Amino acid sequence: MVYYIYLILAVLCFIGELFSMDFSLACFGVGLLGAAGVSALGLGLGWQVLVFIAVAGALFVGIRPLALKHLYHANKHVKMNVDALIGRRVTVLTAPDGENIGRVQTDGDNWRAQFAAPAAAGEEVQVEKVDGNTLFVVPIQTQEEK
């Protein structure tokens, strides 16, 4: 193969890497760059394949696990959806009634709330748990005393 074919394939691998983001296509792209270099020096197909396998394999086995560990370590513990509400402070919109039911607001969202203790409108309380569309809230000072 002529070296520019390897270069075109390497560029395609790097473009594909932008969509996959798992560092595997980048390893193959760098391997193809190595094969292009060997091809440009005029060495035969056997050397080109050997350099491609050596470079791509070394990156895939040696560098890829380290890259994935450092790129995605923080994303494993990100709370999503209603799990992110637990422990947050919310503002009371409507004070609880006789059944300890009221309304709270967080990030512009209005939620039904079950209160563990009386609270006044405008006061901040903390979300203890979520059940369906109801937030179970407790006074902040009670949570800090625990």
Side-chain angles (χ1 to χ4, degrees):
M1 271 186 154
V2 185
Y3 71 92
Y4 59 83
I5 303 284
Y6 287 122
L7 293 177
I8 292 170
L9 291 173
V11 168
L12 290 175
C13 283
F14 292 133
I15 291 171
E17 180 64 34
L18 295 174
F19 296 104
S20 69
M21 299 299 292
D22 69 346
F23 202 65
S24 58
L25 290 175
C27 295
F28 293 127
V30 174
L32 286 166
L33 289 177
V38 170
S39 176
L41 292 175
L43 297 175
L45 182 62
W47 283 105
Q48 295 168 21
V49 171
L50 182 67
V51 167
F52 169 75
I53 291 172
V55 171
L59 290 173
F60 203 81
V61 172
I63 303 287
R64 183 175 180 265
L66 295 173
L68 292 178
K69 178 181 176 186
H70 291 292
L71 289 174
Y72 298 117
H73 69 89
N75 294 341
K76 293 179 182 175
H77 306 292
V78 174
K79 292 182 179 181
M80 303 290 290
N81 302 327
V82 294
D83 293 332
L85 292 173
I86 297 173
R88 291 190 63 184
R89 292 180 178 210
V90 295
T91 305
V92 177
L93 291 177
T94 305
D97 59 10
E99 297 176 0
N100 289 332
I101 303 292
R103 306 291 297 179
V104 295
Q105 181 177 14
T106 178
D107 295 332
D109 294 329
N110 190 329
W111 287 84
R112 180 178 188 263
Q114 175 76 40
F115 288 82
E123 185 180 338
E124 281 195 339
V125 291
Q126 191 165 13
V127 178
E128 189 172 60
K129 73 176 187 174
V130 181
D131 184 23
N133 67 344
T134 303
L135 301 181
F136 289 81
V137 296
V138 295
I140 292 176
Q141 61 270 19
T142 304
Q143 192 70 7
E144 291 173 353
E145 291 172 2
K146 288 184 180 180

